[in-house]
């Protein structure tokens, strides 16, 4: 090109819209002078081109982030499967020794191996309680892996009889601890397509947890209401709470040791089990805790 004959140049930067930085320039040169209209057209072209290039850049960044997230999700899924298998293996290995412990406890309790003095009877009572707790924890660990949508045995169930059965299951404990249970049921709750045994187990878990961490002579409320057009809400409300606000998002994690879990062993596992059961029913388990206002564990089930 004969540069001596050139009369004018026009240079417009191409900006990165996200970062306000130049990613290149458009440079024009010609023998005739550039008019203001030419400058405006070139600025418009540069602006449109910058938007296209920025969009392409963002698309590639999103693709890379999606790939990284998929790798992380795959790793988390593999870890979760591995952890579930380990817990299931541990539970299987514990069953036999726990059965032996419980059998010998029964022999001692029946005084088959000789009479016991009062101190030994008290020690045996504590041992029996702890052996029972260990047996329940082992059962819960096994169920975490065993419960799948394919293993459910759903049927059409009216919720109120199931709720009344759950209340009957804890009635003796309630009376022993001088506590009361209030109920609030919507009378027109619909038939639900659920596995009554598993949902009954969730009710047992929530009611027993509420009984365990409330003081004597306190009140617990069991409610079941329409939540929206598509769900019902079943809730257990206790008068006091031991759950810190920062623990609410973590309390259903498997084996998570909250202050509540440390005070009442087994809660970390059975809450994880309850959440697993409700999730398998396409529902949701949650908790609401307010200082000086008690806490509410609730679950939503589809109508």
């Amino acid at each position: 090109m004969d540069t001596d004959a050139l009369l004018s140049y026009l240079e417009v930067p191409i900006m990165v819209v996200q970062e306000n930085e130049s990613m290149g320039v458009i440079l024009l040169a010609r023998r005739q002078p550039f008019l203001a209209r030419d400058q405006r057209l070139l600025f418009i072209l540069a602006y449109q081109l910058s938007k296209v290039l920025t969009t392409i850049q963002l698309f590639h960044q999103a693709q890379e982030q999606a790939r990284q997230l998929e790798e992380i999700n795959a790793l988390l899924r593999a870890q979760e499967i591995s952890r579930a298998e380990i817990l299931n293996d541990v539970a299987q290995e514990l069953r036999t020794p726990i059965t032996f412990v419980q059998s010998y406890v029964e022999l001692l309790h029946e005084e088959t191996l000789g009479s016991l003095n009062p101190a030994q009877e008290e020690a045996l009572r504590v041992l029996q309680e702890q052996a029972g707790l260990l047996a329940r924890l082992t059962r819960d660990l096994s169920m975490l892996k065993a419960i799948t949508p394919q293993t459910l045995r759903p049927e059409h169930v009216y919720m109120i009889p199931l709720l009344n059965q759950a209340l009957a299951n804890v009635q003796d404990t309630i009376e022993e601890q001088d506590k009361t249970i209030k109920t609030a049921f919507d009378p027109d709750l619909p038939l639900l397509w659920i596995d009554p045994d598993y949902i009954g187990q969730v009710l047992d878990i929530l009611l027993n947890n509420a009984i365990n961490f409330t003081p004597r002579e306190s009140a617990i409320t069991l409610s079941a209401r329409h939540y929206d057009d598509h769900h019902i809400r079943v809730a257990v409300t206790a008068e006091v709470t031991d759950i810190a606000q920062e623990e609410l998002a973590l309390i259903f994690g498997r084996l998570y040791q909250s202050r509540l879990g440390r005070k009442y062993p087994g809660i970390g596992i059975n809450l994880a089990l309850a959440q697993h059961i409700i999730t398998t029913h396409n529902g949701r388990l949650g908790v609401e805790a307010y200082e000086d206002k008690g806490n509410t564990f609730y679950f939503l089930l589809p109508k």
Side-chain angles (χ1 to χ4, degrees):
M1 179 180 292
D2 183 5
T3 55
D4 294 337
L6 298 177
L7 298 178
S8 57
Y9 295 89
L10 184 58
E11 180 179 324
V12 177
I14 302 173
M15 307 298 293
V16 179
V17 177
Q18 294 286 91
E19 303 174 4
N20 200 29
E21 296 179 356
S22 176
M23 63 191 310
V25 297
I26 298 177
L27 177 62
L28 298 182
R30 67 181 187 185
R31 292 182 175 83
Q32 297 80 19
F34 287 99
L35 305 176
R37 181 189 63 182
D38 300 327
Q39 294 177 350
R40 287 196 299 271
L41 289 174
L42 192 58
F43 275 117
I44 293 172
L45 175 62
Y47 175 70
Q48 297 294 338
L49 184 58
S50 70
K51 289 204 298 183
V52 171
L53 294 176
T54 300
T55 300
I56 294 173
Q57 186 180 56
L58 292 175
F59 175 74
H60 287 304
Q61 290 176 356
Q63 279 188 317
E64 177 61 21
Q65 291 174 351
R67 184 190 64 78
Q68 293 175 357
L69 285 174
E70 180 57 33
E71 290 180 355
I72 293 172
N73 287 334
L75 179 61
L76 290 175
R77 287 194 296 270
Q79 290 177 341
E80 179 64 20
I81 292 172
S82 176
R83 183 170 64 170
E85 291 177 346
I86 290 172
L87 291 175
N88 186 66
D89 291 343
V90 169
Q92 296 294 335
E93 292 296 326
L94 286 175
R95 282 182 175 178
T96 299
I98 289 173
T99 301
F100 275 106
V101 170
Q102 289 181 310
S103 298
Y104 277 101
V105 166
E106 287 298 324
L107 288 175
L108 292 171
H109 182 71
E110 295 171 359
E111 299 189 351
T112 303
L113 303 179
S115 60
L116 303 174
N117 61 43
Q120 290 172 330
E121 289 179 352
E122 176 60 20
L124 182 61
R125 183 190 64 80
V126 174
L127 179 60
Q128 192 171 27
E129 288 181 355
Q130 295 303 311
L133 172 62
L134 189 56
R136 291 194 298 273
L137 296 181
T138 303
R139 179 204 63 192
D140 291 348
L141 282 173
S142 298
M143 292 181 67
L144 280 171
K145 183 180 180 182
I147 300 174
T148 66
Q150 290 73 34
T151 60
L152 295 181
R153 295 181 177 179
E155 56 187 82
H156 284 112
V157 176
Y158 281 112
M159 200 66 196
I160 291 180
L162 194 61
L163 295 168
N164 288 331
Q165 180 60 53
L167 291 174
N169 292 342
V170 298
Q171 190 59 44
D172 290 343
T173 306
I174 287 291
E175 293 176 356
E176 290 173 2
Q177 300 188 20
D178 297 325
K179 298 178 182 179
T180 58
I181 289 189
K182 304 175 183 178
T183 59
F185 303 155
D186 283 347
D188 59 340
L189 293 175
L191 278 169
L192 301 181
W193 184 247
I194 59 174
D195 186 315
D197 293 334
Y198 282 143
I199 297 301
Q201 186 169 356
V202 173
L203 290 169
D204 288 342
I205 288 171
L206 298 186
L207 284 171
N208 279 291
N209 284 353
I211 293 169
N212 285 337
F213 64 78
T214 51
R216 297 184 70 88
E217 300 181 359
S218 59
I220 298 166
T221 300
L222 175 63
S223 62
R225 302 184 181 280
H226 294 281
Y227 180 72
D228 55 28
D229 291 341
H230 305 289
H231 298 86
I232 70 162
R233 183 180 189 267
V234 179
V236 177
T237 301
E239 289 185 340
V240 296
T241 178
D242 288 331
I243 307 173
Q245 288 292 322
E246 62 271 16
E247 293 182 326
L248 293 181
L250 305 172
I251 194 169
F252 297 110
R254 189 176 302 171
L255 301 182
Y256 174 69
Q257 284 296 305
S258 66
R259 291 187 303 165
L260 186 65
R262 289 189 291 270
K263 188 174 181 181
Y264 305 102
I267 282 181
I269 294 176
N270 63 32
L271 285 179
L273 175 60
Q275 185 186 49
H276 182 57
I277 292 173
I278 295 300
T279 303
T280 307
H281 280 80
N282 297 317
R284 178 166 63 88
L285 181 67
V287 60
E288 299 168 348
Y290 305 97
E291 189 175 356
D292 300 327
K293 292 184 179 180
N295 65 59
T296 297
F297 283 86
Y298 67 90
F299 57 87
L300 305 180
L301 287 174
K303 294 181 180 179

